[in-house]
């Protein structure tokens, strides 16, 4: 048969020329935004997972520290007279081993909210503050860490209140019962008692933690011999250094926060705000009282910081991200 005559081949269609020369930049910006949002969410998820795992192991030390900090206030027993070992043995004998995990549900909720923000937002805020260069000054890293910590403390304050009250109780309080009592006596604002002390503590805490960790990691990496200058040994050493300096700077804010949060809901307030609490503790108990519970606090902060940051580094690496 005859071949059909093929008609002219259709011209290849070309995409229309961009209307504006800046269009490729807009496309790149949209793509970067799409990438950035999941990156931040993944960072928050990695931070929350690391924090929840860590607090499960560290919570007993936090319980002992809280008992020492509220010692002698109101109707609380004077655990300061018993000392660290006496406090531990008294809790174990009178309340059982499980008492060391009082308030753990609230602690899980606190870590899933507060620590997710303070660890997960550090990297994006470090970029925003211009602190992501090797030679960035310490103060910019401190500001990035402080900002992420402050934001996290606002989100986590209600769970901090619940956790503090449940740990300080010798009789044992349920999460639901504690929350109901706070709401019945003080309303929704009862969950934000001590917010000024908590935000200040979080700013100092996380600013010191992340800036010291970041800076220590750089210094150890360049100055320490192998195998201390890479991998888990590097991260563990930097975390330990950060934990010590955190304890020194945070202890006064921590005891003020604990006193403000642990006040009875149905009695007149002894402490009204951060600065009044500072002054009252110093005048009534002496300046060193601001560092009461320092040893259990360091015993909690050092392993907490180390485990948190090790888990966070591992999880972010698995997600293809950078922790700091």
């Amino acid at each position: 048969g005859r071949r059909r005559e093929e008609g002219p081949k259709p011209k290849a269609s070309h995409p229309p020329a961009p209307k504006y020369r800046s269009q490729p930049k807009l496309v790149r910006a949209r793509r970067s935004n799409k990438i950035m949002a999941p990156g931040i969410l993944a960072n928050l998820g990695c931070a929350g997972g690391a924090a929840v795992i860590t607090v499960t192991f560290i919570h007993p030390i936090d319980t002992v520290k809280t008992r020492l900090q509220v010692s002698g206030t109101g109707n609380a027993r004077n655990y300061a007279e018993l000392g660290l070992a006496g406090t531990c043995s008294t809790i174990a004998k009178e309340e059982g081993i499980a008492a060391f995990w009082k308030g753990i549900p609230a602690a899980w909720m606190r870590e899933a909210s507060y620590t997710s923000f303070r660890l997960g937002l550090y990297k994006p805020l470090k970029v925003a503050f211009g602190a992501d260069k090797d030679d960035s000054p310490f103060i910019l890293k401190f500001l990035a860490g402080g900002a992420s910590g402050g934001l996290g403390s606002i989100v986590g304050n209600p769970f901090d209140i619940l956790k503090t009250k449940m740990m300080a109780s010798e009789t044992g309080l349920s999460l639901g019962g504690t929350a109901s009592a706070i709401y019945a006596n003080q309303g929704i604002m009862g969950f934000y008692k001590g917010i000024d002390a908590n935000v200040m503590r979080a700013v100092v805490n996380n600013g010191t933690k992340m800036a010291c960790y970041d800076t220590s990691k750089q210094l150890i990496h360049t100055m320490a011999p192998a195998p201390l200058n890479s991998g888990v040994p590097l991260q563990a050493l930097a975390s330990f250094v950060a934990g010590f300096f955190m304890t020194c700077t945070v202890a006064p804010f921590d005891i003020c926060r604990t006193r403000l949060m642990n006040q009875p809901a149905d009695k007149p307030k002894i402490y009204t705000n951060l600065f009044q609490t500072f002054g009252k503790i110093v005048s009534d108990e002496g300046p060193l009282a601001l560092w009461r519970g320092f040893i259990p606090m360091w015993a909690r902060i050092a392993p907490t910081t180390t485990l948190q940051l090790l888990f966070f580094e591992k999880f972010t690496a698995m997600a293809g991200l950078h922790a700091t």
Side-chain angles (χ1 to χ4, degrees):
R2 291 182 181 176
R3 283 185 183 177
R4 288 186 181 179
E5 290 184 5
E6 294 180 0
K9 290 182 180 179
K11 291 182 180 179
S13 59
H14 296 286
K19 291 181 180 179
Y20 306 102
R21 288 185 181 180
S22 60
Q23 189 172 352
K25 289 182 181 178
L26 291 171
V27 170
R28 283 198 296 271
R30 284 180 193 135
R31 283 176 184 165
S32 69
N33 286 339
K34 285 178 183 176
I35 293 166
M36 188 180 287
I40 291 174
L41 291 175
N43 248 23
L44 293 174
C46 291
V52 168
I53 292 169
T54 301
V55 78
T56 306
F57 294 105
I58 303 299
H59 193 73
I61 304 172
D62 206 13
T63 300
V64 174
K65 179 212 74 172
T66 301
R67 295 289 180 93
L68 285 167
Q69 287 183 332
V70 300
S71 176
T73 59
N75 296 322
R77 176 183 297 185
N78 196 339
Y79 283 102
E81 290 181 348
L82 299 174
L84 180 59
T87 300
C88 292
S89 62
T90 301
I91 293 170
K93 286 176 188 173
E94 296 184 2
E95 304 171 55
I97 296 298
F100 289 102
W101 278 270
K102 279 182 177 177
I104 192 67
W108 284 330
M109 292 179 188
R110 175 189 182 265
E111 296 303 318
S113 54
Y114 166 53
T115 305
S116 292
F117 275 74
R118 70 187 179 114
L119 284 185
L121 289 181
Y122 174 66
K123 177 73 173 178
L125 285 174
K126 196 168 85 159
V127 174
F129 278 86
D132 55 333
K133 312 291 189 299
D134 288 340
D135 58 346
S136 296
F138 181 87
I139 187 63
L140 288 181
K141 295 175 183 178
F142 182 90
L143 290 172
S148 60
L151 289 169
S153 70
I154 294 169
V155 176
N157 202 82
F159 305 116
D160 230 345
I161 295 272
L162 292 168
K163 185 190 82 160
T164 301
K165 285 190 173 292
M166 291 170 75
M167 287 192 300
S169 169
E170 294 182 346
T171 56
L173 299 171
S174 68
L175 180 63
T178 308
S180 298
I182 292 170
Y183 186 75
N185 286 292
Q186 301 171 62
I188 198 70
M189 291 310 295
F191 293 99
Y192 287 90
K193 186 194 293 180
I195 186 71
D196 56 342
N198 210 19
V199 170
M200 281 298 297
R201 176 191 178 277
V203 168
V204 174
N205 178 326
N206 212 54
T208 306
K209 175 181 181 175
M210 299 312 294
C212 285
Y213 177 68
D214 219 342
T215 305
S216 299
K217 201 162 70 164
Q218 286 179 353
L219 290 172
I220 295 166
H221 178 68
T222 54
M223 296 172 70
L228 300 176
N229 61 354
S230 63
V232 172
L234 168 64
Q235 294 160 9
L237 273 174
S239 301
F240 188 81
V241 171
F244 175 75
F245 285 107
M246 274 174 67
T247 311
C248 294
T249 56
V250 167
F253 295 96
D254 197 64
I255 193 167
C256 290
R257 180 198 66 155
T258 302
R259 295 283 181 92
L260 281 162
M261 288 183 170
N262 194 53
Q263 294 182 96
D266 54 349
K267 293 181 181 177
K269 287 184 178 181
I270 303 169
Y271 307 104
T272 54
N273 58 56
L274 176 62
F275 297 106
Q276 183 266 346
T277 307
F278 265 120
K280 186 165 179 58
I281 291 172
V282 170
S283 64
D284 292 356
E285 305 167 51
L288 289 179
L290 292 171
W291 280 269
R292 182 180 290 167
F294 182 88
I295 297 300
M297 189 176 183
W298 187 27
R300 170 189 169 272
I301 282 180
T304 299
T305 305
T306 304
L307 288 174
Q308 259 183 15
L309 290 169
L310 285 175
F311 281 128
F312 185 44
E313 291 268 11
K314 185 66 177 174
F315 292 162
T316 49
M318 290 166 65
L321 302 167
H322 293 288
T324 60

